[in-house]
């Protein structure tokens, strides 16, 4: 190609870029003028808003599909506003899906709270599930089988019943007479979220039975109910949403966001035979935190989240270190804690920590690929880590069991409902 041709090509490109920029500026001015006119016509009836909480009829009406503002271009981060527009564009909701149900079964995962330094704010859902079936009945009754079946309360003080009542309160309906049956696979009062599972399972069951739906985007109403009962989000958030959750209170409401789960990660848990009471575990903690201690834990939480986000499993060893609650609980309640953490890490675990308020010790390992029973054991370390943890338990005279599982991306969900949600046109997986 000649030099003159090159010059013409460059000149053409520059002219095209200038024309494009001019058009973009003109479009922006036109959009701004239209927005200003629309605001002037509307006056103060519908002021502009930067953020929203769902169930605002006045604002939702302004986003109807016939409203000119509905054509406003939304940026990628404005996912809550996009959800508002989607809801406003729906013509109708199937009334039968809002009808009360007669019976429902809910599966709820175990959870591991704190994950070291994330006291009361970080938790992980565990692939270990309990089931709750709630049915309309003529007589109140609670029956249970499995873990803690004898110890759990059989009256309306049961957290499952409290969750159901909270759901009916949200629906502004009275609680009917109900029968409860639990299949408990989550160890009772062992630091694996059995209380949160009961709360979340009860709320979901109550919502289904009441025929009531809650807003999620922008308000996380289910999380608000559950966290208000539990007092903090570290267990209830992963029980609801699954995965690894980071929960805080914004000053206005509870919120939670998911952190990535590194691929190939396994959970190796030593679950003692004795019960650990959360109240007792909290009573041994210090009321005041020094600046140095706070700085230590803030740094560890940052490393923990970074390690999860980058799948840097090796750095998890530092990310789960803590000075706010584990040393006090290890010294006064669980003498085996730090020897077991050290033994697990020496045997190849990426890290280990006290699950929730204890007494369970959780070790995280890597190397799993697909179904572990089809994989060579020498590619993983779960067996060696489990054996090392058991040896420490034996040395301290602690009886218990080892469980190997994994984190789960899924939270609590309905597995059976009468009458079903499936129709002739649509089938849901739990009803196939």
């Amino acid at each position: 190609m000649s030099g003159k041709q090159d010059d013409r090509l460059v000149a053409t490109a520059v002219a095209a870029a200038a024309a494009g920029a001019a058009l973009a500026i003109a479009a922006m001015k036109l959009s701004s003028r239209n927005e200003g006119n629309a605001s002037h016509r509307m006056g103060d009836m519908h002021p502009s808003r930067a953020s929203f909480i769902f169930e605002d009829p006045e604002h939702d009406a302004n986003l109807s599909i016939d409203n000119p503002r509905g054509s406003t271009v939304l940026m990628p981060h404005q996912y809550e506003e996009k959800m508002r527009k989607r809801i406003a564009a729906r013509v109708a909701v199937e009334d039968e899906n809002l009808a009360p149900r007669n019976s429902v079964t809910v599966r709820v995962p175990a959870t591991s709270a704190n994950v070291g330094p994330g006291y009361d704010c970080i938790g992980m859902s565990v692939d270990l599930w309990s089931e709750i079936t709630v049915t309309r009945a003529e007589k109140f009754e609670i029956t249970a089988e499995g873990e803690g079946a004898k110890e759990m309360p059989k009256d309306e003080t049961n957290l499952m019943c409290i969750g159901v009542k909270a759901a009916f309160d949200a629906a502004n309906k009275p609680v009917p007479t109900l029968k409860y049956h639990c299949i408990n696979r989550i160890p009772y009062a062992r630091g694996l979220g059995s209380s949160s599972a009961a709360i979340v399972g009860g709320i979901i069951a109550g919502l289904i039975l009441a025929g009531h739906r809650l807003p999620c985007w922008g308000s996380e109403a289910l999380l608000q109910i559950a966290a208000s009962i539990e007092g903090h989000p570290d267990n209830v958030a992963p029980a609801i949403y699954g995965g690894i959750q980071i929960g805080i209170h914004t000053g206005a409401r509870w919120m939670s966001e998911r952190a990535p789960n590194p691929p190939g990660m396994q959970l190796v848990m030593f679950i003692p035979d004795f019960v650990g009471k959360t109240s007792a575990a909290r009573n041994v903690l210090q009321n005041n935190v020094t600046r140095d201690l706070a700085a230590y834990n803030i740094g560890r939480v940052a490393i923990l989240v970074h390690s999860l986000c980058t799948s840097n499993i090796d750095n998890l060893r530092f990310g789960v270190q803590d000075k706010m609650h584990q040393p006090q609980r290890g010294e006064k309640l669980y003498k085996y804690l730090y020897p077991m953490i050290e033994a697990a890490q020496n045997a190849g675990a990426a890290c280990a920590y006290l699950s929730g308020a204890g007494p369970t010790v959780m070790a995280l390992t890597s190397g799993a690929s697909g179904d572990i029973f089809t994989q060579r054991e020498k590619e993983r370390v779960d067996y060696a880590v489990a054996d090392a943890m058991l040896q420490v338990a034996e040395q301290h005279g602690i009886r218990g069991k080892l469980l190997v599982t994994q984190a789960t991306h899924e939270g609590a969900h309905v597995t059976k409902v009468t009458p079903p949600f499936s129709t002739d046109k649509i089938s849901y997986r739990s009803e196939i």
Side-chain angles (χ1 to χ4, degrees):
M1 184 178 290
S2 67
K4 291 183 177 180
Q5 289 176 320
D6 288 342
D7 293 340
R8 286 197 297 271
L9 183 59
V10 171
T12 301
V14 171
L23 287 172
I25 293 172
M28 291 171 62
K29 290 182 177 179
L30 179 61
S31 175
S32 176
R33 187 160 55 248
N34 289 340
E35 287 289 337
N37 292 337
S39 299
H40 177 73
R41 289 193 301 269
M42 290 162 56
D44 295 330
M45 291 179 60
H46 301 290
S48 176
R49 295 176 55 175
S51 61
F52 317 99
I53 297 297
F54 267 1
E55 293 188 335
D56 183 345
E58 181 180 335
H59 182 69
D60 289 345
N62 190 45
L63 288 176
S64 67
I65 55 177
D66 296 327
N67 192 297
R69 288 186 67 195
S71 61
T72 302
V73 176
L74 296 176
M75 301 303 291
H77 66 276
Q78 295 176 293
Y79 52 89
E80 291 181 1
E81 183 70 352
K82 291 178 182 178
M83 182 61 72
R84 279 188 171 278
K85 290 172 67 69
R86 184 186 306 172
I87 292 174
R90 290 193 61 179
V91 177
V93 175
E94 296 181 12
D95 291 337
E96 60 268 24
N97 282 351
L98 295 177
R101 259 53 188 181
N102 297 324
S103 179
V104 61
T105 300
V106 182
R107 292 183 79 221
V108 194
T111 50
S112 178
N114 300 331
V115 195
Y119 184 74
D120 276 3
C121 62
I122 299 180
M124 173 172 56
S125 62
V126 177
D127 193 12
L128 176 65
W129 302 81
S130 289
E131 291 184 6
I132 297 171
T133 298
V134 188
T135 307
R136 294 176 184 270
E138 296 181 357
K139 179 182 177 182
F140 174 86
E141 184 182 13
I142 296 179
T143 57
E145 56 184 289
E147 298 278 353
K150 294 181 179 179
E151 293 87 352
M152 64 181 285
K154 303 297 193 303
D155 57 17
E156 293 180 350
T157 63
N158 190 303
L159 289 171
M160 179 175 51
C161 301
I162 293 174
V164 168
K165 185 180 185 304
F168 274 88
D169 287 346
N172 197 26
K173 296 179 180 180
V175 181
T177 304
L178 299 171
K179 177 182 178 180
Y180 302 79
H181 181 69
C182 309
I183 302 176
N184 298 330
R185 300 185 183 92
I186 303 173
Y188 179 73
R190 300 294 201 282
L192 290 170
S194 58
S195 297
S196 294
I199 293 170
V200 171
I203 296 171
I204 293 176
L207 291 171
I208 299 299
L209 292 174
H212 188 66
R213 304 292 180 93
L214 294 173
C216 295
W217 291 86
S219 58
E220 298 184 89
L222 177 53
L223 177 63
Q224 309 312 307
I225 298 173
S228 66
I229 298 172
E230 179 78 342
H232 39 84
D234 53 347
N235 283 110
V236 293
I240 294 169
Y241 301 122
I244 301 171
Q245 296 288 330
I246 305 171
I248 63 168
H249 197 280
T250 66
R253 66 175 179 90
W254 296 102
M255 67 169 288
S256 185
E257 292 289 347
R258 182 186 295 260
N261 178 22
M265 188 174 75
Q266 287 184 283
L267 315 181
V268 182
M269 297 173 277
F270 173 72
I271 307 171
D273 283 348
F274 63 88
V275 169
K277 293 185 177 181
T278 301
S279 58
R282 287 182 179 271
N283 286 338
V284 303
L285 303 184
Q286 301 171 359
N287 292 325
N288 300 313
V289 176
T290 65
R291 183 179 301 169
D292 289 344
L293 191 152
Y296 182 95
N297 264 48
I298 290 169
R300 266 54 183 189
V301 169
I303 291 296
L304 171 62
V305 175
H306 182 270
S307 301
L308 294 172
C309 290
T310 59
S311 294
N312 188 342
I313 293 182
D314 290 339
N315 277 351
L316 286 176
R317 177 171 303 201
F318 309 107
V320 300
Q321 291 176 346
D322 161 79
K323 287 187 177 180
M324 186 175 291
H325 69 101
Q326 290 188 145
Q328 297 90 325
R329 289 168 171 171
E331 178 185 356
K332 298 181 180 179
L333 298 176
Y334 314 125
K335 300 292 186 181
Y336 58 89
L337 174 60
Y338 279 96
M340 189 171 289
I341 288 175
E342 183 179 5
Q345 293 179 165
N346 289 342
C351 65
Y353 61 90
L354 181 68
S355 182
T360 294
V361 179
M362 177 78 72
L364 308 184
T365 68
S366 62
S369 180
D371 190 298
I372 62 172
F373 299 116
T374 65
Q375 182 183 13
R376 294 187 301 177
E377 287 189 6
K378 63 183 181 181
E379 295 180 351
R380 311 186 321 273
V381 296
D382 51 278
Y383 186 87
V385 170
D387 185 59
M389 296 172 78
L390 283 173
Q391 288 184 30
V392 172
E394 184 177 353
Q395 293 168 4
H396 285 77
I398 304 296
R399 295 173 59 87
K401 62 182 179 181
L402 250 297
L403 176 63
V404 178
T405 183
Q406 59 189 359
T408 176
H409 290 281
E410 189 171 26
H413 55 277
V414 173
T415 61
K416 185 178 181 181
V417 62
T418 305
F421 288 113
S422 295
T423 65
D424 293 339
K425 295 182 179 180
I426 301 175
S427 295
Y428 294 96
R429 64 166 190 174
S430 60
E431 296 175 333
I432 296 177

